[in-house]
Amino acid sequence: MDGIIKFYDLAPSTSSTHYFSPNTWKTRMGLLHKGVEFETIPATLLDFRRDLARRSNQPHIAAPAIELPDGTFIYDSFRIAEWLENTYPDAPSLFTGDGKLSCDARPEHIIVGKNYARMIDLGLGASKPEWAVWFDLFFPQLDKLIAGDEHRAYFISDARHGPQGYQKLLALDRQELIRRAKMNVQPLVQVLREHPNEYFQGTHPGQVDYVIFGRYAYCRMLDAKLTKEIWNDQGEELNNWIQRLSQAHDRHAQQMFDSCALID
């Protein structure tokens, strides 16, 4: 595809590079996986609701979103992953986990890998308060980043979180949330122990890894110390997996983590 893709990543303000959304991290890693040239454009929650909704003619557009050179917008991390898989067949598949090009993969292999990725996406990769803990746990850290009177007013509003939602999120038991977060991570450690030196998708990283890494990166961008306690310290296998993905693609993720540390 000719031209650079514009990748709209969620940030606390349009001048910030503190990209925190787990969903946009899935897309970022997918773009890197496919070797796609892209430009990152920081966008706030209000940017998605207003400017991007108007320009894309898609009122429900949400992060992540990409804009193609012809002006077409695609949003939703899994929809973008499917688009990348189909549009860049001469790059490694996002769904097979074997490092082979998409054009060389068997269709049934892609389907199985895609279903696996979607299942993880709807489970650990989701932010549903009924079973997920990550958004709630790191909400106070995220709250401190949101800047600008108008943006902040929307962020703390009932329209964003439901009746008294903002106050309820800040009042949650942090220690209980940490306990639940560590429990969420334990199955990941076990899987990696059963498959030494591999990834969740297979012998090579894929969309499943990027869904899980997106959740890690969300935590890491908001609170490095707490993230280490919950993720890295739970097992050598998980820590090694984190390091491999952080160092991939010329240390792309690691450089972003380091830049946030300098800002903090």
Side-chain angles (χ1 to χ4, degrees):
M1 175 175 291
D2 296 329
I4 297 177
I5 288 176
K6 294 180 180 179
F7 167 48
Y8 294 93
D9 203 342
L10 197 57
S13 70
T14 53
S15 61
S16 173
T17 57
H18 219 123
Y19 302 117
F20 58 84
S21 168
N23 292 326
T24 60
W25 270 95
K26 302 171 197 175
T27 294
R28 178 179 293 276
M29 297 301 288
L31 289 165
L32 292 167
H33 180 106
K34 284 291 189 177
V36 178
E37 188 176 5
F38 65 94
E39 172 191 5
T40 303
I41 300 175
T44 67
L45 292 167
L46 287 179
D47 289 331
F48 277 94
R49 288 170 60 89
R50 295 175 179 175
D51 180 60
L52 291 176
R54 176 184 56 79
R55 289 175 48 215
S56 67
N57 198 30
Q58 299 184 63
H60 301 296
I61 192 170
I66 59 174
E67 182 181 2
L68 308 186
D70 66 0
T72 300
F73 281 81
I74 306 172
Y75 72 97
D76 182 88
S77 62
F78 203 80
R79 191 182 305 165
I80 294 172
E82 292 182 307
W83 178 84
L84 287 170
E85 184 75 357
N86 295 329
T87 306
Y88 298 93
D90 295 326
S93 172
L94 280 165
F95 299 111
T96 58
D98 57 9
K100 293 182 180 179
L101 307 183
S102 299
C103 59
D104 294 333
R106 293 161 52 190
E108 59 269 27
H109 195 180
I110 291 179
I111 291 173
V112 171
K114 186 182 294 186
N115 288 341
Y116 174 29
R118 187 57 173 159
M119 180 180 67
I120 299 299
D121 200 31
L122 294 173
L124 180 67
S127 296
K128 300 290 186 181
E130 293 84 358
W131 67 81
V133 66
W134 307 105
F135 178 75
D136 295 355
L137 174 55
F138 286 85
F139 183 79
Q141 292 89 330
L142 175 58
D143 179 46
K144 293 177 182 178
L145 290 178
I146 303 300
D149 292 343
E150 186 179 22
H151 186 207
R152 180 148 191 83
Y154 170 68
F155 181 77
I156 68 175
S157 69
D158 289 354
R160 175 67 181 166
H161 300 293
Q164 297 296 307
Y166 175 77
Q167 292 79 5
K168 292 175 183 177
L169 282 165
L170 291 178
L172 292 172
D173 183 339
R174 317 317 300 175
Q175 291 305 311
E176 172 60 17
L177 291 174
I178 291 172
R179 185 191 69 81
R180 288 174 54 198
K182 290 179 179 179
M183 289 179 62
N184 279 194
V185 166
Q186 283 307 306
L188 304 179
V189 177
Q190 185 61 36
V191 169
L192 292 174
R193 283 177 180 166
E194 294 172 359
H195 302 276
N197 301 314
E198 292 191 6
Y199 295 86
F200 291 104
Q201 191 83 54
T203 56
H204 291 70
Q207 187 66 15
V208 172
D209 295 274
Y210 303 146
V211 170
I212 298 171
F213 189 75
R215 188 56 62 186
Y216 165 81
Y218 162 77
C219 302
R220 178 64 175 76
M221 295 292 275
L222 294 175
D223 190 326
K225 183 178 179 181
L226 182 56
T227 299
K228 181 178 182 298
E229 176 186 344
I230 292 172
W231 287 84
N232 304 71
D233 292 348
Q234 297 309 303
E236 180 182 1
E237 298 84 0
L238 184 59
N239 182 59
N240 289 340
W241 173 84
I242 290 169
Q243 296 308 316
R244 282 188 288 168
L245 285 182
S246 298
Q247 299 298 320
H249 310 295
D250 297 322
R251 302 182 70 251
H252 184 97
Q254 189 62 55
Q255 290 185 55
M256 294 184 65
F257 298 153
D258 292 344
S259 68
C260 280
L262 292 174
I263 294 172
D264 294 339

